Amino acid sequence: MNNQDMVEFRWHGRGGQGAKTACLLLADAAFSSGKYVQGFPEYGPERSGAPITAYNRISSERCGIHSNIYEPDYVIVVDEGLLSCVDVTAGLKETGAIIINSSRTPDELRAHLNGYQGRVCTIDANRISRDILGQVFPNTPMLAAAVKVSGVVDVDKFTSDMEESFHHKFASKPQVIEGNMKVLKTSMEEVQG
């Protein structure tokens, strides 16, 4: 199969941080944009706090590949602490990017990336969610950063689709909708790299 426009993502997080949820939301957003999508976690003995991995494939053509992703275009690291115990850059294409939840700059983190020479992006997802939502929910800021950095879906369409999704999910909690929309917009503005 020679699907030239396929974009592949690998998510690294810890159980309970929402990496799987963000992965599935990215798949929903791409599907709403008319793309073919795959979004799936790699299951194992995960428990709260244990490292987890999730994957996305997004394309304008149907994809017949049904395996984990070994050479992603983009890697999203929801927990910076994983840099010391997981090879998050394994197979990462240097034409893509790695997006890390961190208060540090991309240059400060480059030394921890096993010689990766591609684009390094950071976003302080913990601070953004804590400041806006009052709690640490890094998945929504990381999702917004992934969309902004990759350009895999139109940002305006993504924002509109997410607002509609939040209205369905949080119909009885309008304050949650407003907070999550602010998190998305702030995250797209603040991602560095």
Side-chain angles (χ1 to χ4, degrees):
M1 169 177 229
N2 190 12
N3 191 340
Q4 295 296 325
D5 79 334
M6 184 183 308
V7 181
E8 296 180 315
F9 295 80
R10 187 173 65 219
W11 297 76
H12 292 279
R14 293 188 184 276
Q17 291 180 321
K20 179 183 113 175
T21 300
C23 167
L24 298 177
L25 286 171
L26 178 59
D28 286 347
F31 181 77
S32 293
S33 295
K35 307 267 186 175
Y36 289 94
V37 300
Q38 293 178 3
F40 55 98
E42 180 178 9
Y43 283 110
E46 287 84 13
R47 62 193 180 286
S48 185
I52 65 106
T53 309
Y55 306 94
N56 288 107
R57 282 191 182 92
I58 300 171
S59 175
S60 62
E61 300 175 24
R62 186 177 302 276
C63 176
I65 302 169
H66 297 286
S67 67
N68 290 348
I69 294 170
Y70 302 102
E71 295 181 347
D73 298 286
Y74 298 94
V75 167
I76 298 95
V77 182
V78 181
D79 187 320
E80 179 182 1
L82 293 172
L83 297 179
S84 63
C85 61
V86 174
D87 185 3
V88 296
T89 59
L92 177 57
K93 295 175 185 169
E94 294 197 355
T95 54
I98 185 168
I99 307 163
I100 305 165
N101 176 8
S102 178
S103 61
R104 297 192 279 174
T105 68
D107 287 339
E108 290 174 308
L109 289 176
R110 191 170 289 281
H112 304 279
L113 300 178
N114 298 323
Y116 178 68
Q117 295 299 309
R119 187 173 174 199
V120 178
C121 303
T122 60
I123 181 166
D124 194 346
N126 292 348
R127 179 192 52 77
I128 291 169
S129 64
R130 186 175 46 251
D131 288 355
I132 296 171
L133 301 175
Q135 293 182 12
V136 175
F137 295 116
N139 60 337
T140 301
M142 296 307 291
L143 170 62
V147 167
K148 178 71 175 190
V149 170
S150 71
V152 72
V153 293
D154 177 77
V155 168
D156 292 332
K157 175 120 176 67
F158 167 73
T159 304
S160 172
D161 288 346
M162 289 306 299
E163 186 167 16
E164 185 177 324
S165 175
F166 290 151
H167 275 287
H168 287 4
K169 187 174 182 179
F170 303 115
S172 64
K173 301 176 183 176
Q175 72 281 7
V176 174
I177 298 166
E178 182 181 325
N180 275 285
M181 291 308 299
K182 187 172 181 184
V183 165
L184 285 175
K185 291 173 184 172
T186 301
S187 300
M188 286 189 268
E189 292 168 3
E190 290 192 17
V191 63
Q192 300 179 47

PDB file of all heavy atoms in Angstrom, residues 74-87:
ATOM      1  N   TYR A  74       4.425  11.933  14.105  1.00  0.00           N
ATOM      2  CA  TYR A  74       4.326  12.772  15.302  1.00  0.00           C
ATOM      3  C   TYR A  74       4.254  11.893  16.542  1.00  0.00           C
ATOM      4  O   TYR A  74       3.580  10.868  16.533  1.00  0.00           O
ATOM      5  CB  TYR A  74       3.082  13.673  15.248  1.00  0.00           C
ATOM      6  CG  TYR A  74       3.135  14.634  14.091  1.00  0.00           C
ATOM      7  CD1 TYR A  74       2.534  14.322  12.877  1.00  0.00           C
ATOM      8  CD2 TYR A  74       3.825  15.835  14.193  1.00  0.00           C
ATOM      9  CE1 TYR A  74       2.618  15.178  11.797  1.00  0.00           C
ATOM     10  CE2 TYR A  74       3.913  16.703  13.120  1.00  0.00           C
ATOM     11  CZ  TYR A  74       3.311  16.365  11.925  1.00  0.00           C
ATOM     12  OH  TYR A  74       3.410  17.225  10.862  1.00  0.00           O
ATOM     13  N   VAL A  75       4.935  12.340  17.587  1.00  0.00           N
ATOM     14  CA  VAL A  75       4.856  11.699  18.898  1.00  0.00           C
ATOM     15  C   VAL A  75       4.383  12.749  19.886  1.00  0.00           C
ATOM     16  O   VAL A  75       4.903  13.874  19.914  1.00  0.00           O
ATOM     17  CB  VAL A  75       6.216  11.113  19.333  1.00  0.00           C
ATOM     18  CG1 VAL A  75       6.205  10.746  20.810  1.00  0.00           C
ATOM     19  CG2 VAL A  75       6.567   9.897  18.489  1.00  0.00           C
ATOM     20  N   ILE A  76       3.394  12.393  20.690  1.00  0.00           N
ATOM     21  CA  ILE A  76       2.867  13.279  21.723  1.00  0.00           C
ATOM     22  C   ILE A  76       3.170  12.650  23.067  1.00  0.00           C
ATOM     23  O   ILE A  76       2.777  11.512  23.325  1.00  0.00           O
ATOM     24  CB  ILE A  76       1.346  13.505  21.559  1.00  0.00           C
ATOM     25  CG1 ILE A  76       1.031  14.182  20.216  1.00  0.00           C
ATOM     26  CG2 ILE A  76       0.824  14.383  22.683  1.00  0.00           C
ATOM     27  CD1 ILE A  76       0.683  13.239  19.139  1.00  0.00           C
ATOM     28  N   VAL A  77       3.893  13.381  23.913  1.00  0.00           N
ATOM     29  CA  VAL A  77       4.293  12.886  25.228  1.00  0.00           C
ATOM     30  C   VAL A  77       3.503  13.664  26.272  1.00  0.00           C
ATOM     31  O   VAL A  77       3.769  14.845  26.519  1.00  0.00           O
ATOM     32  CB  VAL A  77       5.815  13.032  25.453  1.00  0.00           C
ATOM     33  CG1 VAL A  77       6.209  12.470  26.813  1.00  0.00           C
ATOM     34  CG2 VAL A  77       6.596  12.336  24.334  1.00  0.00           C
ATOM     35  N   VAL A  78       2.542  13.001  26.893  1.00  0.00           N
ATOM     36  CA  VAL A  78       1.644  13.647  27.849  1.00  0.00           C
ATOM     37  C   VAL A  78       2.309  13.808  29.212  1.00  0.00           C
ATOM     38  O   VAL A  78       1.936  14.684  29.980  1.00  0.00           O
ATOM     39  CB  VAL A  78       0.313  12.857  27.954  1.00  0.00           C
ATOM     40  CG1 VAL A  78      -0.654  13.524  28.923  1.00  0.00           C
ATOM     41  CG2 VAL A  78      -0.332  12.716  26.577  1.00  0.00           C
ATOM     42  N   ASP A  79       3.317  12.993  29.517  1.00  0.00           N
ATOM     43  CA  ASP A  79       4.016  13.050  30.799  1.00  0.00           C
ATOM     44  C   ASP A  79       5.523  13.139  30.554  1.00  0.00           C
ATOM     45  O   ASP A  79       6.146  12.176  30.104  1.00  0.00           O
ATOM     46  CB  ASP A  79       3.695  11.803  31.617  1.00  0.00           C
ATOM     47  CG  ASP A  79       4.248  11.858  33.028  1.00  0.00           C
ATOM     48  OD1 ASP A  79       5.390  12.334  33.213  1.00  0.00           O
ATOM     49  OD2 ASP A  79       3.548  11.417  33.942  1.00  0.00           O
ATOM     50  N   GLU A  80       6.095  14.288  30.835  1.00  0.00           N
ATOM     51  CA  GLU A  80       7.523  14.530  30.615  1.00  0.00           C
ATOM     52  C   GLU A  80       8.405  13.502  31.330  1.00  0.00           C
ATOM     53  O   GLU A  80       9.498  13.175  30.864  1.00  0.00           O
ATOM     54  CB  GLU A  80       7.866  15.947  31.101  1.00  0.00           C
ATOM     55  CG  GLU A  80       9.299  16.337  30.963  1.00  0.00           C
ATOM     56  CD  GLU A  80       9.589  17.729  31.515  1.00  0.00           C
ATOM     57  OE1 GLU A  80       8.664  18.405  32.030  1.00  0.00           O
ATOM     58  OE2 GLU A  80      10.763  18.146  31.436  1.00  0.00           O
ATOM     59  N   GLY A  81       7.942  12.968  32.451  1.00  0.00           N
ATOM     60  CA  GLY A  81       8.712  11.970  33.194  1.00  0.00           C
ATOM     61  C   GLY A  81       9.012  10.714  32.393  1.00  0.00           C
ATOM     62  O   GLY A  81       9.947   9.973  32.703  1.00  0.00           O
ATOM     63  N   LEU A  82       8.248  10.470  31.336  1.00  0.00           N
ATOM     64  CA  LEU A  82       8.486   9.293  30.497  1.00  0.00           C
ATOM     65  C   LEU A  82       9.766   9.406  29.672  1.00  0.00           C
ATOM     66  O   LEU A  82      10.277   8.400  29.200  1.00  0.00           O
ATOM     67  CB  LEU A  82       7.283   9.054  29.573  1.00  0.00           C
ATOM     68  CG  LEU A  82       5.994   8.651  30.274  1.00  0.00           C
ATOM     69  CD1 LEU A  82       4.834   8.633  29.288  1.00  0.00           C
ATOM     70  CD2 LEU A  82       6.141   7.301  30.954  1.00  0.00           C
ATOM     71  N   LEU A  83      10.290  10.614  29.523  1.00  0.00           N
ATOM     72  CA  LEU A  83      11.513  10.793  28.736  1.00  0.00           C
ATOM     73  C   LEU A  83      12.677   9.997  29.302  1.00  0.00           C
ATOM     74  O   LEU A  83      13.566   9.576  28.561  1.00  0.00           O
ATOM     75  CB  LEU A  83      11.896  12.271  28.649  1.00  0.00           C
ATOM     76  CG  LEU A  83      10.905  13.203  27.954  1.00  0.00           C
ATOM     77  CD1 LEU A  83      11.431  14.634  27.967  1.00  0.00           C
ATOM     78  CD2 LEU A  83      10.595  12.748  26.540  1.00  0.00           C
ATOM     79  N   SER A  84      12.664   9.758  30.610  1.00  0.00           N
ATOM     80  CA  SER A  84      13.777   9.040  31.242  1.00  0.00           C
ATOM     81  C   SER A  84      13.577   7.524  31.283  1.00  0.00           C
ATOM     82  O   SER A  84      14.511   6.799  31.618  1.00  0.00           O
ATOM     83  CB  SER A  84      14.004   9.566  32.668  1.00  0.00           C
ATOM     84  OG  SER A  84      12.858   9.312  33.459  1.00  0.00           O
ATOM     85  N   CYS A  85      12.377   7.034  30.940  1.00  0.00           N
ATOM     86  CA  CYS A  85      12.151   5.584  31.049  1.00  0.00           C
ATOM     87  C   CYS A  85      11.553   4.936  29.800  1.00  0.00           C
ATOM     88  O   CYS A  85      11.445   3.709  29.750  1.00  0.00           O
ATOM     89  CB  CYS A  85      11.291   5.266  32.269  1.00  0.00           C
ATOM     90  SG  CYS A  85       9.652   6.004  32.242  1.00  0.00           S
ATOM     91  N   VAL A  86      11.169   5.721  28.801  1.00  0.00           N
ATOM     92  CA  VAL A  86      10.604   5.195  27.562  1.00  0.00           C
ATOM     93  C   VAL A  86      11.328   5.864  26.396  1.00  0.00           C
ATOM     94  O   VAL A  86      11.554   7.072  26.429  1.00  0.00           O
ATOM     95  CB  VAL A  86       9.080   5.496  27.473  1.00  0.00           C
ATOM     96  CG1 VAL A  86       8.517   5.072  26.125  1.00  0.00           C
ATOM     97  CG2 VAL A  86       8.321   4.820  28.598  1.00  0.00           C
ATOM     98  N   ASP A  87      11.695   5.097  25.380  1.00  0.00           N
ATOM     99  CA  ASP A  87      12.337   5.673  24.194  1.00  0.00           C
ATOM    100  C   ASP A  87      11.247   6.272  23.309  1.00  0.00           C
ATOM    101  O   ASP A  87      10.804   5.666  22.342  1.00  0.00           O
ATOM    102  CB  ASP A  87      13.143   4.609  23.442  1.00  0.00           C
ATOM    103  CG  ASP A  87      13.921   5.188  22.273  1.00  0.00           C
ATOM    104  OD1 ASP A  87      13.884   6.430  22.070  1.00  0.00           O
ATOM    105  OD2 ASP A  87      14.558   4.398  21.551  1.00  0.00           O
TER     106      ASP A  87
END
